[in-house]
Amino acid sequence: MKYWTILSATLVTALALLAGCGDKADKPAQAASQAQAQKSNTEQQLVEKYNIYVDVSNSLSTSFQEARESYVESQLPPLQAKAPLTSLRIQNDILVDRSAKKLDAAVAIDAPLPEIDESAKAFSAALKVLSPLSRELNDYANSKGYLADNGDKARQMNKDYLAALTTVAQAEAAFDKGLSARDQALTKEAFEKAPKDTAAYYRAGLIYHGKLNHADARTLFESPNDPKALAAFEASLALVADSATGWSKKTAEQSAQSGKSCSGGMLQINEFIGQSRSMVKDIRNGVFKRKETGAMAGLPAYMRSSSIVSSANRYNQNFANMIGQFNHPLC
């Protein structure tokens, strides 16, 4: 699952330009006003472009990288076998053209985001190659054409489809990397600019440190028994907890002053921190080093209580719940 959140951004209204009546003394002021208006317009365009890019990623609850992995693991083996095909699933077909259209719209906005723009262009181009193959295979799968020809068409298209899907997955990974860099820079800037020991400061801290922890979590999930990965995860989690303590205090003060109840979303915040701490405890206890036995061994990974996959899924959902709530007024 991919969890991105659109950062709140204040759109600056362009200044109205009043033409001077030929007074030379007004020209410097007019030039400054025009420069400010141009800057404000660029900022608006950057916000619009960035939010479209984020929307593309948010729309893909299943990434193309995950779609490719699923295709290779579940669809490819029966396609490579000689037995008649009995099922076929093509993921994300409806989002191929839709994502390319959004990417093109964002790229066309005349405000540069160098860390994302080029990868967005490559992502869109790859999607356009995938599009006709995905559409044809999806129609074939939905109409169960494989029951009529035993899967011959799917086998004939497999090489080209998998190659196109692989290119899309690689382009998406590069796009995600650029988006992550931009997201990290914006959240860091918001945190560093917020006045210390204020609600805004702790709110920004929860978002910034939460995303640092999310990055550390990805490394930890890949190597759950790596002491360095665990230490980094614990360090950023401690920063999240510190921000949570400050945020809880400030929202309580706000409630006392206004007379209105304000939870500040602490239920979601505490759930995220609590589950993360439980995961750390499990790692220290060697839970993810154990091999499942008996009935547990036969269950899918996401159903095994001690599985790192299960913990990762819960962590990602709790992270999404915590960060996502800050896109809406909490009090």
Side-chain angles (χ1 to χ4, degrees):
M1 298 287 285
K2 291 167 58 168
Y3 295 111
W4 292 96
T5 53
I6 299 176
L7 299 180
S8 58
T10 301
L11 297 180
V12 183
T13 304
L15 298 176
L17 299 181
L18 298 178
C21 299
D23 188 342
K24 293 182 180 180
D26 290 338
K27 287 185 177 180
Q30 183 179 357
S33 180
Q34 289 174 336
Q36 180 61 44
Q38 184 176 2
K39 179 181 178 181
S40 298
N41 184 56
T42 299
E43 289 174 349
Q44 289 182 36
Q45 289 180 321
L46 285 173
V47 170
E48 181 184 359
K49 172 180 276 193
Y50 176 65
N51 280 350
I52 294 175
Y53 283 149
V54 172
D55 183 52
V56 170
S57 191
N58 274 342
S59 299
L60 297 169
S61 57
T62 298
S63 70
F64 284 101
Q65 297 157 77
E66 292 168 325
R68 181 195 179 279
E69 182 178 350
S70 176
Y71 180 83
V72 169
E73 290 182 356
S74 62
Q75 307 298 314
L76 197 55
L79 287 174
Q80 292 175 332
K82 295 182 179 180
L85 205 64
T86 58
S87 66
L88 181 66
R89 184 187 179 194
I90 303 301
Q91 288 186 308
N92 280 356
D93 176 70
I94 194 173
L95 295 172
V96 174
D97 292 336
R98 190 177 300 174
S99 297
K101 185 176 181 180
K102 288 180 182 178
L103 289 167
D104 289 346
V107 168
I109 295 174
D110 189 21
L113 280 177
E115 64 268 54
I116 311 176
D117 287 338
E118 290 305 313
S119 61
K121 292 176 185 177
F123 190 11
S124 175
L127 287 167
K128 289 169 185 174
V129 173
L130 176 65
S131 177
L133 297 168
S134 179
R135 187 182 305 111
E136 187 173 354
L137 266 182
N138 190 61
D139 288 342
Y140 173 79
N142 289 340
S143 66
K144 298 188 178 181
Y146 50 82
L147 296 181
D149 67 359
N150 295 325
D152 288 346
K153 183 182 181 72
R155 291 186 174 94
Q156 291 169 5
M157 295 185 64
N158 173 63
K159 182 179 179 180
D160 289 342
Y161 174 75
L162 181 56
L165 183 59
T166 299
T167 301
V168 166
Q170 292 169 343
E172 180 190 40
F175 172 75
D176 284 346
K177 184 177 180 181
L179 195 59
S180 178
R182 176 72 176 177
D183 182 63
Q184 194 81 336
L186 288 175
T187 54
K188 182 180 181 181
E189 181 182 13
F191 174 61
E192 291 178 343
K193 286 185 174 180
K196 299 294 188 292
D197 196 32
T198 63
Y201 176 76
Y202 293 117
R203 176 187 183 278
L206 277 166
I207 296 172
Y208 176 54
H209 295 139
K211 292 190 176 186
L212 288 179
N213 184 252
H214 190 256
D216 290 334
R218 287 199 296 268
T219 302
L220 183 63
F221 294 147
E222 292 173 0
S223 304
N225 300 306
D226 181 351
K228 291 183 178 179
L230 179 59
F233 179 82
E234 284 189 284
S236 55
L237 182 62
L239 295 176
V240 176
D242 287 344
S243 293
T245 299
W247 173 249
S248 180
K249 178 182 177 182
K250 292 300 177 183
T251 53
E253 291 174 355
Q254 182 176 330
S255 293
Q257 292 172 0
S258 66
K260 297 179 181 179
S261 176
C262 174
S263 68
M266 289 307 299
L267 177 64
Q268 291 83 354
I269 294 169
N270 287 330
E271 182 69 18
F272 170 76
I273 296 173
Q275 190 252 326
S276 296
R277 284 172 170 164
S278 292
M279 188 169 65
V280 169
K281 180 175 180 293
D282 286 344
I283 291 173
R284 291 195 178 283
N285 290 340
V287 169
F288 301 128
K289 292 180 180 179
R290 302 173 191 164
K291 291 185 178 180
E292 301 290 0
T293 58
M296 288 295 293
L299 293 175
Y302 69 87
M303 294 180 65
R304 300 178 201 157
S305 60
S306 62
S307 167
I308 189 64
V309 175
S310 178
S311 290
N313 287 340
R314 289 198 303 274
Y315 171 91
N316 280 333
Q317 187 59 63
N318 286 331
F319 174 78
N321 292 343
M322 180 182 75
I323 298 296
Q325 68 181 339
F326 288 111
N327 284 332
H328 312 284
L330 290 175
C331 303

